[in-house]
Amino acid sequence: MHAFDILGDPVRRRILELLATGEHSSGDVVAVVQREFGITQSAVSQQLRILRDAGFASVRAEGTRRIYAVEPARLREVDDWLDRFRAFWLPRLDAIATEVARGKRKRRQQE
């Protein structure tokens, strides 16, 4: 399955956002996703399994708990694919950074 097919689902994106903050137990993920999306525990588990099978997440046992984490390799593939499009937005981001720096310099000079 293509990476964007996986990332196209809002529940899976939310799970990855959670995992991007650090490791989380499946129970923690289920609690957040159930609250935000109103889906069942088994539906959340299925989404975790899809992320794991697609290589976006890893799982390890810690006693009776399952701890999930982001697998960065698949995200690097997405980043590599996006790389061909960066030329469209990087000049604009550079221009914004220049304007922010000018504004800071002007405020310092006025103080």
Side-chain angles (χ1 to χ4, degrees):
M1 189 175 280
H2 191 275
F4 288 107
D5 293 330
I6 301 297
L7 298 175
D9 183 84
V11 172
R12 291 190 289 261
R13 282 196 313 269
R14 180 62 178 121
I15 291 170
L16 282 175
E17 289 170 0
L18 289 170
L19 298 179
T21 66
E23 294 183 332
H24 288 278
S25 71
S26 57
D28 292 343
V29 173
V30 167
V32 170
V33 174
Q34 276 186 317
R35 183 176 63 247
E36 293 179 8
F37 291 90
I39 62 176
T40 65
Q41 180 273 330
S42 62
V44 177
S45 294
Q46 180 182 14
Q47 299 306 320
L48 283 166
R49 188 175 329 105
I50 290 169
L51 288 169
R52 189 183 66 236
D53 291 348
F56 282 97
S58 62
V59 64
R60 66 180 171 79
E62 190 175 271
T64 59
R65 298 175 355 144
R66 298 291 174 255
I67 307 298
Y68 284 84
V70 168
E71 275 297 322
R74 258 331 271 280
L75 292 174
R76 276 192 224 87
E77 290 177 28
V78 173
D79 188 53
D80 290 345
W81 186 87
L82 286 171
D83 198 42
R84 70 184 84 174
F85 301 101
R86 282 195 176 82
F88 295 110
W89 66 75
L90 283 180
R92 290 184 174 105
L93 293 175
D94 291 342
I96 290 170
T98 299
E99 289 303 315
V100 168
R102 282 182 186 152
K104 287 179 180 178
R105 187 171 45 248
K106 187 175 181 178
R107 279 192 298 274
R108 281 193 305 265
Q109 289 172 349
Q110 290 175 348
E111 291 175 354

